[in-house]
Amino acid sequence: MEETHNNRTSLVKGAKDIAKEAKRQAAKNFSKAVDRASDEYSTHRSYNRFQNEDEEENNYNSYTQQDGLYADNATNEEDGASSDATEGHDDEDEIYEGEYQGVPAYNDGKPRDGQVALGQPVSDSLKSRKELENERQADEEELAQQYELIMQECGHGRFQWQLFFVLGLALMSDGVEVFVVGFVLPSAETDMCVPNSGAGWLGSIVYLGMMFGAFFWGGLSDKVGRRQCLLISMSVNGFFAFLSSFVQGYSMFLFCRMVSGFGIGGAVPIVFSYFAEVLAREKRGEHLSWLCMFWMIGGIYASAMAWAIIPHYGWSFSMGSAYQFHSWRVFVVVCALPCVSAVVALTFMPESPRFYLEMGKHDEAWMVLKHIHDTNMRARGEPERVFTVNRIKIPKQLDELVEMQNESANPVLKVLFKIRAELRGIWLTFMKCFNHPVKENTMKLAAVWFTLSFGYYGLSVWFPDVIKHLQADEYASRVKIHNNERIEDFTFNFTLENQIHRNGVFVNDRFISMKFKAVTFIDSSFLNCYFEDVSSVGSFFRNCTFVDSFFYNTDIDDTKLTNSRVINSSFHHNKTGCQMTFDDDYSAYWVYFVNFLGTLAVLPGNIVSALLMDKIGRLSMLGGSMVLSGISCFFLWFGTSESMMIFMLCLYNGLSISAWNSLDVVTTELYPTDRRGTGFGFCNAMCKLAAVLGNLIFGSLVGITKAIPILLASSVLVGGGLVGLRLPDTRANVLM
């Protein structure tokens, strides 16, 4: 009995000793947690991640690389430590298909239920706005370095190439949109009977739409995401581009093309921002330059389709005399296909992980980065490689002052308030582009974008019109003139082209199923003549007299009869609309072929710029390319023939493309993530503004003088190149 009592006493004593030791260890661990949390807060190194207390000390000591960014596999194996990066894996390193697959939980800095926030000596609410912004800036700089290491671990492989082709389709759509304007302009204005006062509005209004679209979508992409904005903007472009091919009125056609341009305006700023954020620094310059090739491919595609479709007037169909669907409308539909393809492909791509981190969405960013890593590793034949990142630094999130609305407010008012809030956010982000230290860079970039675009788009408008004027002069030199002719009882059933008939007399003649092409009748008389199924493209009757004549199914109306008299004559079933024909019109083929050659000449320059972008530097390529293209533009002055002018145009295009590629790369790298889309969108908007001014200025000088357009383009290109050389070099920059 005494022995049993002693055993019980020893057991109680041992339990008390264990309790004391547990209490001492708990106090020790609590003290360590307080010290560690205070130290992390004071040095801004807190990653704010949920961890259970049993694993906290082991995990904290294991993350030694980049202040806890990576978990070293060797250390985990030796010490037997575990991490969230390896949870959810069995012994053969296969990922479970269950709900949890190793996504690291992220702590937003707020205590969980039943817990006390430790290591928070100063509340954010007690800090000034400037202090919070300074903390966020420090966090962004740290994140930029960490993100660069993460992208190096993810590697460059299948995912980047998939995104490359998807974004390439979007960029190709932008190139197509620019070229569509020039190709459909003559046909659309003729088909819709546009007077001279309305001619030229199509080109300007599309560029205006692209200008506002670039600013709006670029700014919105910094608020709601790259992928989502690009998807919406491309959908707007595709829908209204397709719709524009069916509308009949010129005003409605202008509206559809303007909205289509507004949609595609977001392509360039978003595409380059999106792609740059999934590239490591050593790959960024080269692969962004390769991406630029899709803009050229869009130009080649548009030129080839215009060459193959528009001149084929027989491809058209009509529904009565009110609805006509000519070949140029078929061309518009075909040019919308790259945009539709881009929208479909974008639905399978994830959001930019860099944008997620900027918005404080840690888990979403981690999932995308893991997807990039696993996709690339599987393509390399290394599926066993584990994504070792489980904690990523995110910048301090600054609360915006948002005006709260009543829950019972009208839904329409809520939508309007949401739109106003988004527009205000875009404007505030835009104003940040003019804050130190990016203010000076913004001004220089805007100047370079404006000058490069003004010279390029100005010449692209001026040069085809110069070619047309040369062709028109040659065509006019071959005109046939007939004076004082008298033709009786003759049937005209063939085409009359490029002729002038003065003081002619036509008696009892029949004009049946024939065409007048660039034929002018002056002071002529038509007595008892019969006109049936006649088209008169570019033909006019001036000071003519029609007596006892009959017109059936012709397009001869008051616009063709200038100061002419019609006596006892009747018109039946006149054709409505403007009649077009490209039969045997080789000048149309020639214009499209010249544009095709000019676009194809960009290919060598694109390849060279991609290969040398990271070797000779962005700025050297930007400034050198603009100066050389300005010099080559000057030699257009000495062009005396079509062949020489075309050669100089191809040389200019080949030299200028390097400037465009390097400018895209520099603009992407100079802006931090939170305003990259906004800054790029503003610069691209300046580009489109320069295109509008170039259309107006250079277009007004066509046929007047050759000296002013050439000297103007050369001077602005050289000046812009010199400004570009003053920009900071971004080769060694990480994306902030």
Side-chain angles (χ1 to χ4, degrees), residues 476-715:
S477 67
R478 295 185 279 109
V479 66
K480 296 179 181 180
I481 301 176
H482 303 271
N483 294 315
N484 302 317
E485 60 184 341
R486 182 181 178 88
I487 301 176
E488 297 184 21
D489 297 319
F490 186 81
T491 300
F492 293 87
N493 55 5
F494 48 86
T495 299
L496 296 180
E497 181 179 3
N498 197 18
Q499 298 178 5
I500 297 177
H501 297 263
R502 285 194 178 97
N503 299 316
V505 178
F506 300 87
V507 182
N508 296 326
D509 293 325
R510 292 166 297 280
F511 301 85
I512 300 175
S513 300
M514 64 154 312
K515 298 175 182 177
F516 293 116
K517 296 178 62 177
V519 178
T520 303
F521 294 91
I522 303 175
D523 298 323
S524 298
S525 299
F526 297 85
L527 307 177
N528 197 28
C529 292
Y530 181 80
F531 297 83
E532 181 180 351
D533 292 329
V534 175
S535 62
S536 55
V537 178
S539 300
F540 300 93
F541 299 85
R542 296 174 181 170
N543 300 321
C544 294
T545 302
F546 295 87
V547 180
D548 296 328
S549 297
F550 185 84
F551 298 84
Y552 181 83
N553 194 30
T554 70
D555 64 349
I556 300 175
D557 54 18
D558 292 339
T559 61
K560 305 292 180 67
L561 304 176
T562 306
N563 298 325
S564 297
R565 295 184 302 164
V566 180
I567 302 172
N568 293 331
S569 300
S570 59
F571 295 82
H572 298 274
H573 297 286
N574 257 29
K575 297 178 181 179
T576 59
C578 302
Q579 307 302 313
M580 295 189 306
T581 177
F582 288 97
D583 296 343
D584 303 321
D585 189 357
Y586 295 104
S587 62
Y589 286 97
W590 183 245
V591 170
Y592 301 137
F593 181 67
V594 168
N595 280 277
F596 178 79
L597 288 179
T599 309
L600 196 62
V602 172
L603 180 60
N606 224 320
I607 295 175
V608 170
S609 65
L611 296 177
L612 299 181
M613 184 67 70
D614 291 319
K615 293 181 175 61
I616 68 174
R618 290 91 158 104
L619 301 186
S620 300
M621 185 166 291
L622 173 61
S625 176
M626 291 187 68
V627 172
L628 290 177
S629 60
I631 295 174
S632 68
C633 173
F634 178 76
F635 283 100
L636 287 172
W637 198 336
F638 303 99
T640 56
S641 64
E642 287 186 39
S643 58
M644 187 174 181
M645 294 284 286
I646 293 171
F647 171 77
M648 295 306 302
L649 175 69
C650 293
L651 179 63
Y652 167 78
N653 286 346
L655 290 173
S656 63
I657 190 61
S658 297
W660 284 108
N661 292 359
S662 54
L663 188 57
D664 289 330
V665 176
V666 170
T667 306
T668 302
E669 295 176 334
L670 276 180
Y671 285 105
T673 305
D674 64 337
R675 68 198 85 165
R676 181 170 295 120
T678 304
F680 206 128
F682 167 68
C683 292
N684 200 249
M686 295 300 296
C687 168
K688 297 306 183 288
L689 175 62
V692 174
L693 296 178
N695 269 287
L696 298 176
I697 296 174
F698 284 77
S700 63
L701 298 174
V702 173
I704 300 176
T705 178
K706 187 166 66 173
I708 296 179
I710 292 175
L711 291 176
L712 185 60
S714 298
S715 58

Side-chain angles (χ1 to χ4, degrees), residues 36-341:
R36 184 165 63 253
S38 300
D39 183 65
E40 287 177 345
Y41 181 84
S42 63
T43 58
H44 305 289
R45 304 291 188 187
S46 176
Y47 293 92
N48 297 326
R49 175 174 172 264
F50 285 134
Q51 293 176 327
N52 61 55
E53 294 178 359
D54 294 332
E55 295 177 326
E56 184 176 17
E57 185 171 351
N58 290 335
N59 285 341
Y60 181 82
N61 292 330
S62 66
Y63 299 123
T64 58
Q65 185 176 358
Q66 288 295 315
D67 294 323
L69 178 63
Y70 297 100
D72 187 81
N73 290 335
T75 304
N76 287 341
E77 292 174 0
E78 292 174 4
D79 297 340
S82 63
S83 69
D84 289 340
T86 58
E87 289 180 22
H89 295 260
D90 58 18
D91 294 336
E92 296 180 358
D93 224 8
E94 294 180 354
I95 299 177
Y96 296 131
E97 297 297 331
E99 293 181 356
Y100 179 69
Q101 296 186 5
V103 180
Y106 178 73
N107 186 2
D108 60 0
K110 298 178 181 179
R112 290 178 291 179
D113 295 339
Q115 292 186 341
V116 179
L118 302 177
Q120 300 284 347
V122 180
S123 173
D124 285 349
S125 61
L126 301 179
K127 296 182 180 179
S128 67
R129 183 76 179 184
K130 185 175 181 180
E131 290 176 330
L132 294 174
E133 289 178 350
N134 290 337
E135 290 182 10
R136 178 180 174 86
Q137 179 67 22
D139 291 344
E140 287 177 342
E141 292 175 358
E142 183 178 347
L143 171 60
Q145 300 293 335
Q146 295 177 355
Y147 191 79
E148 182 65 30
L149 294 175
I150 294 173
M151 293 313 304
Q152 290 177 4
E153 178 174 343
C154 291
H156 188 93
R158 176 179 292 176
F159 177 86
Q160 280 83 1
W161 286 112
Q162 289 174 346
L163 187 62
F164 173 80
F165 286 107
V166 172
L167 297 181
L169 286 173
L171 196 60
M172 178 180 172
S173 302
D174 182 84
V176 168
E177 187 76 18
V178 170
F179 281 87
V180 164
V181 173
F183 290 149
V184 305
L185 187 59
S187 301
E189 290 177 344
T190 303
D191 186 27
M192 298 178 180
C193 303
V194 180
N196 292 333
S197 59
W201 268 103
L202 178 59
S204 298
I205 204 166
V206 170
Y207 284 128
L208 284 173
M210 297 174 75
M211 179 182 72
F212 288 107
F215 181 79
F216 175 78
W217 296 113
L220 193 63
S221 69
D222 286 332
K223 296 296 181 183
V224 302
R226 319 298 193 205
R227 173 185 171 275
Q228 185 174 351
C229 277
L230 186 59
L231 196 59
I232 298 174
S233 65
M234 297 298 294
S235 299
V236 170
N237 170 250
F239 176 77
F240 282 94
F242 185 78
L243 182 63
S244 68
S245 66
F246 294 95
V247 298
Q248 292 291 296
Y250 190 61
S251 299
M252 192 63 185
F253 181 76
L254 283 177
F255 173 77
C256 289
R257 296 312 303 186
M258 180 187 68
V259 180
S260 174
F262 176 79
I264 200 62
V268 173
I270 299 178
V271 161
F272 285 99
S273 300
Y274 192 173
F275 195 50
E277 290 170 356
V278 296
L279 294 173
R281 178 174 53 193
E282 66 271 9
K283 299 285 186 180
R284 199 162 53 236
E286 177 184 352
H287 288 271
L288 286 177
S289 299
W290 289 123
L291 184 64
C292 294
M293 291 186 64
F294 280 94
W295 197 92
M296 175 205 66
I297 294 173
I300 294 175
Y301 175 81
S303 302
M305 292 299 102
W307 188 20
I309 296 174
I310 294 180
H312 293 282
Y313 186 72
W315 289 17
S316 63
F317 67 90
S318 60
M319 298 174 61
S321 61
Y323 188 86
Q324 298 178 356
F325 197 89
H326 293 306
S327 56
W328 67 268
R329 298 180 182 273
V330 178
F331 167 70
V332 172
V333 172
V334 171
C335 286
L337 296 180
C339 179
V340 175
S341 302

